[in-house]
Amino acid sequence: MSVQAIARTPAGAVRIVDQTELPDALVTRDLDTVAQMADAIRTLRVRGAPLIGIAAAMGLVAGLRDERGAPRERFLARLEGFAAELEATRPTAVNLAAALGRMRRAAAAAPGDGSALWERLSAEAGAILDEDRAMCRRIGEHGLPLIPPGAQVLTHCNAGALATGGIGTALAPVYVAHEAGRRVHVWVDETRPVLQGARLTAWELRHAGIPCTLVTDAAAGALMRAARVDLVLVGADRIAANGDFANKIGTYALAVLALHHGVPFYCAAPTSTIDPATAAGDAITIEHRDGAEVTSFAGRAIAPAGTAAWNPAFDVTPARYVTGFLTDRGLVRPPFTGAPS
Ligand code: MRU
């Protein structure tokens, strides 16, 4: 069974799995306000491209509960202020801006005052979550033929249930293969510097009973050279119209290694991660995070005090390295020009 990363509580708060607590403990937190949600996204308590879009939409609904009695214009003004606050948290994943755009449009198109608009937003946030869950499942089903019995899959970061509303993107075919009784083993890149692979992917695969082995990011080349990887499956934060895509730092290096060693390299993502408005990878804004993520570990310095660190959270992989884009609509190839639905 995969883990459920987000839910609405009966009281209308957003219940998240606090991903900074994993793998030590499965801790949930109930977030009531937009400020709490923005902080949770910024600090990676909730993370992963599809999940931060869902979380932002649900956070808006929770935060606007107190505005239900407001007249239309005041409600819309509060919505805009909250949406801008959430959108400013992380720049790279298109899902965040896209989900907030959807929420803004839903409210603008709905008639009525605060109470009616809030109901509409609540339904829209629910739809964003439900659609993501369904897209994850379809990615898994379309990806099943890529997973031969006994497959050795290498993945990077966490593009699993903890990153989405469903069974993940890159891990979705792995879950579906496992459900179908197909033997599959996952090599999990630890994913420096924040260790989403070690802390999250290894945790959720073990939670689901799927065999996996943790490797340092630097081990991927040796594994491929030893012919111990059948395919690489990674997620994406934004896929440009020409197929260049941003994903967790280290993805590009994996893609180069995979091409060199003749290992198929797939980018798995819902169509909501495709951004036709961004022509090519160079136009994707890459988030840079605090150098302390690199110079310290678990609160302890691992470099001399004052050491400079360059810490981009993502890199861009050019489309020519990608064997195929695995989406909820099947395997697709760029250019991606139409608006995603
Ligand atoms: O910084 P993070 O943990 O949010 O980065 C997440 C990734 O890079 C994932 O691979 C990507 O968002 C796809 S999640 C289905």
Side-chain angles (χ1 to χ4, degrees):
M1 257 285 278
S2 65
V3 65
Q4 178 66 48
I6 200 160
R8 186 143 89 174
T9 71
V14 187
R15 180 161 295 162
I16 60 157
V17 170
D18 184 341
Q19 302 194 22
T20 63
E21 300 280 358
L22 287 168
D24 296 341
L26 181 58
V27 175
T28 59
R29 295 197 193 283
D30 292 351
L31 309 181
D32 277 305
T33 67
V34 165
Q36 287 172 350
M37 181 57 81
D39 182 67
I41 294 173
R42 210 177 291 111
T43 55
L44 309 184
R45 292 184 197 283
V46 270
R47 33 68 50 206
L51 188 63
I52 60 176
I54 296 164
M58 293 175 71
L60 268 184
V61 174
L64 285 164
R65 275 176 301 173
D66 292 344
E67 300 292 330
R68 277 175 285 188
R72 180 182 180 85
E73 289 315 316
R74 198 179 94 199
F75 185 92
L76 287 174
R78 290 294 279 164
L79 164 63
E80 184 45 46
F82 282 159
E85 183 178 348
L86 288 161
E87 199 167 338
T89 53
R90 301 193 75 190
T92 303
V94 70
N95 306 65
L96 177 62
L100 291 167
R102 241 179 102 162
M103 296 292 276
R104 286 179 173 111
R105 288 192 298 278
D113 56 11
S115 162
L117 297 186
W118 186 85
E119 292 294 342
R120 180 67 194 85
L121 288 179
S122 180
E124 193 68 15
I128 291 171
L129 173 59
D130 291 347
E131 286 167 26
D132 187 68
R133 185 176 296 135
M135 285 193 287
C136 289
R137 175 56 56 180
R138 288 199 295 274
I139 291 169
E141 285 160 1
H142 286 302
L144 183 61
L146 303 178
I147 313 276
Q152 301 275 349
V153 176
L154 187 141
T155 194
H156 191 65
C157 193
N158 173 265
L162 285 166
T164 65
I167 57 170
T169 59
L171 294 188
V174 171
Y175 280 115
V176 171
H178 180 71
E179 280 167 22
R182 207 171 280 187
R183 252 180 339 103
V184 53
H185 168 263
V186 184
W187 297 108
V188 178
D189 269 3
E190 64 175 354
T191 316
R192 280 282 293 152
V194 188
L195 304 180
Q196 288 94 333
R199 293 187 301 104
L200 307 178
T201 299
W203 181 87
E204 74 164 79
L205 288 174
R206 289 176 58 82
H207 180 79
I210 298 174
C212 63
T213 304
L214 184 64
V215 291
T216 61
D217 299 347
L223 269 183
M224 288 189 208
R225 186 151 187 263
R228 299 184 69 181
V229 180
D230 296 318
L231 69 157
V232 177
L233 272 172
V234 295
D237 283 77
R238 190 181 296 251
I239 303 173
N242 73 343
D244 298 348
F245 74 100
N247 192 49
K248 182 52 57 194
I249 188 74
T251 302
Y252 169 56
L254 270 186
V256 174
L257 282 170
L259 185 67
H260 183 80
H261 292 284
V263 174
F265 178 95
Y266 293 98
C267 170
T271 37
S272 56
T273 301
I274 296 174
D275 177 16
T278 295
D282 288 350
I284 299 175
T285 302
I286 298 295
E287 175 186 4
H288 283 254
R289 295 183 64 87
D290 194 332
E293 288 181 349
V294 178
T295 58
S296 64
F297 180 73
R300 187 174 166 191
I302 56 167
T307 302
W310 185 63
N311 188 22
F314 303 97
D315 57 24
V316 171
T317 299
R320 66 179 180 280
Y321 291 94
V322 182
T323 308
F325 290 87
L326 176 61
T327 73
D328 44 289
R329 296 181 191 166
L331 271 178
V332 297
R333 296 287 317 161
F336 303 119
T337 45
S341 60

